[in-house]
Amino acid sequence: MDQARLPLPPDPLPKPTRAAGLDRLAHFLPRAGVAYAARRNEDLPGHPHVSGLSPWIRHRLVTEAEVIAAVRQRHPQGADKFLAEVWWRTYWKGWLELRPQVWTDYAQGVMAAQNRLAVEGGLRAVWQDACAGTTGIEGFDHWARELVATGWLHNHARMWFASIWIFTLRLPWELGADFFLRHLLDGDPASNTLSWRWVAGLHTPGKTYLATAENIGKNTGGRFRPKGLATVAEPLCFAAPPAPRPAPVDDGVETGVPTLLLLHEDDLDGSWLLSRGLRPVAVAGLTATAGRSPGAVAMGVHGFVAGAVADALARQGGGLSFDREGLEALADHAAGLGVAQVAAPYAPVGPVASALRKLRPLLEARGIALVQALSDHDREAWPHATHGFFRFREAVM
């Protein structure tokens, strides 16, 4: 079949609200057990065999802990495959949190690869075709266009795409990870960066992922069977990651002082802070979406994040939202409220964490403390992300 004539998924962009996420969870729950395990690898139109929950989980409109609890209640047994996928997101966050230099190295790699694009015309042409979905590689081109149109891809398609990008097209892996991060509604610095590193053989020494026409044909219902794919996937030049640093700890939120609660795009769930006795005088939101890439982040991603923050603030009674360019205004807002502290959920490695580092001295100059608090889920899980996922899984599941 001519893949240029294959329709893109008709589903509209998901609503960036907690209610929509909970509806999606309720719809998926009956299929989270053996049905998911049996057919989760199939990338079919409409993606009927996976949850599609990642955009809401990514921003904690619906939390990992909520999803895990709901699945365990519905499926006391038989849901380990799906639960493992939820825990992978926590593992990646914890792993990168213990090794923040890997994110710094990735960001530098993106800039170096973009410099190559500016001077290497052949590389630039291949990259442009890959991003536009005009390489002529069956399946790959469809997924490139699907990603741009919908902000989402099936996990198996992400793996195939990354493998073809790296080993068939021979493009820098950092540019592929950047392409994903600019377009994915669930784009996450940890999950995205480390998944691309895993495909490339940079996460587990000597272990790469090779996309094959047979596997693609089998798991796409015969829609795609690309020709000319790389037949070997030699690991890229491997440098051992730094030794893990200690897991972060709470700054220590004081519940008895005037507080501005700051929700941000990495964690829009403030309920657990309130359950600890925090009674903020006001709530504000913070976005750092543009910081995901030195290139232009897709408008659909900006829109989803802005809508998610607006939904979170509305559920807390309303509040102002600021972006990473408005940190001075945010500090002035906190000072005008007369608060002693700004309390925020802990921001893992990435653009939000960078924005909070810049916000801290602005607040301190106004006599206001910035404190970050860890959710129970992160505090209990992240210290176990010292090695591979299977050791982590034994500790948390």
Side-chain angles (χ1 to χ4, degrees):
M1 181 182 293
D2 181 358
Q3 70 169 9
R5 297 180 183 177
L6 284 172
L8 292 173
D11 299 338
L13 293 179
K15 294 181 180 179
T17 66
R18 174 170 168 77
L22 292 175
D23 285 346
R24 179 67 67 95
L25 174 60
H27 177 73
F28 172 71
L29 272 178
R31 298 176 285 119
V34 294
Y36 173 83
R39 306 194 67 178
R40 67 192 181 96
N41 286 333
E42 298 179 29
D43 177 29
L44 302 176
H47 309 297
H49 304 302
V50 293
S51 74
L53 280 166
S54 55
W56 292 276
I57 296 175
R58 156 66 177 98
H59 301 95
R60 284 189 170 164
L61 289 170
V62 179
T63 70
E64 298 94 328
E66 287 180 297
V67 173
I68 291 167
V71 171
R72 283 176 172 166
Q73 182 176 16
R74 182 63 181 260
H75 302 276
Q77 295 182 340
D80 284 354
K81 286 292 186 183
F82 178 73
L83 291 173
E85 291 303 314
V86 179
W87 280 112
W88 265 105
R89 298 188 72 86
T90 300
Y91 167 70
W92 285 137
K93 282 184 182 292
W95 195 95
L96 190 60
E97 191 61 32
L98 302 187
R99 304 164 182 85
Q101 185 62 40
V102 173
W103 170 254
T104 302
D105 292 345
Y106 156 73
Q108 292 173 347
V110 172
M111 296 301 297
Q114 288 191 332
N115 289 338
R116 288 184 60 193
L117 293 178
V119 297
E120 298 180 31
L123 180 70
R124 183 170 63 252
V126 176
W127 171 76
Q128 289 172 336
D129 282 342
C131 294
T134 56
T135 66
I137 299 175
E138 193 176 48
F140 182 93
D141 287 351
H142 177 83
W143 296 317
R145 291 183 288 111
E146 180 182 4
L147 172 60
V148 172
T150 70
W152 195 84
L153 283 180
H154 186 285
N155 186 60
H156 215 159
R158 299 185 196 203
M159 294 165 61
W160 294 323
F161 188 98
S163 181
I164 295 169
W165 180 287
I166 296 169
F167 300 115
T168 298
L169 296 175
R170 312 295 293 180
L171 287 166
W173 74 269
E174 295 96 337
L175 291 180
D178 178 69
F179 178 56
F180 270 21
L181 203 53
R182 287 188 289 116
H183 291 282
L184 284 169
L185 298 181
D186 63 15
D188 173 76
S191 293
N192 187 66
T193 304
L194 299 180
S195 293
W196 274 83
R197 283 173 53 87
W198 179 83
V199 170
L202 298 174
H203 186 75
T204 304
K207 184 178 180 61
T208 58
Y209 178 78
L210 180 66
T212 67
E214 180 182 7
N215 184 254
I216 292 172
K218 173 185 174 182
N219 287 293
T220 60
R223 291 186 300 153
F224 308 120
R225 191 174 291 273
K227 298 178 181 179
L229 300 187
T231 57
V232 294
E234 293 293 337
L236 303 186
C237 183
F238 179 84
R245 68 178 183 178
V249 297
D250 274 13
D251 287 335
V253 177
E254 295 187 50
T255 58
V257 301
T259 301
L260 172 65
L261 173 60
L262 182 63
L263 301 178
H264 52 72
E265 63 181 83
D266 281 347
D267 194 334
L268 294 170
D269 174 35
S271 62
W272 52 275
L273 275 166
L274 301 181
S275 70
R276 295 180 185 179
L278 186 68
R279 297 294 179 265
V281 299
V283 182
L286 175 63
T287 63
T289 318
R292 298 185 188 190
S293 170
V297 175
M299 293 307 298
V301 175
H302 280 285
F304 188 90
V305 172
V309 172
D311 177 73
L313 293 178
R315 287 184 283 107
Q316 296 291 342
L320 298 179
S321 182
F322 302 84
D323 65 20
R324 66 177 190 149
E325 302 301 325
L327 297 179
E328 194 85 38
L330 172 54
D332 286 341
H333 176 61
L337 292 169
V339 300
Q341 67 179 0
V342 172
Y346 187 92
V349 171
V352 173
S354 297
L356 291 181
R357 283 195 296 272
K358 295 177 181 178
L359 176 63
R360 186 181 297 275
L362 298 177
L363 291 172
E364 289 175 348
R366 293 161 174 80
I368 302 170
L370 173 64
V371 294
Q372 295 189 67
L374 283 161
S375 68
D376 291 342
H377 181 84
D378 295 337
R379 177 176 51 80
E380 294 169 4
W382 285 357
H384 299 291
T386 53
H387 293 80
F389 175 73
F390 295 105
R391 185 186 297 193
F392 172 84
R393 183 175 67 178
E394 290 177 2
V396 301
M397 290 182 64

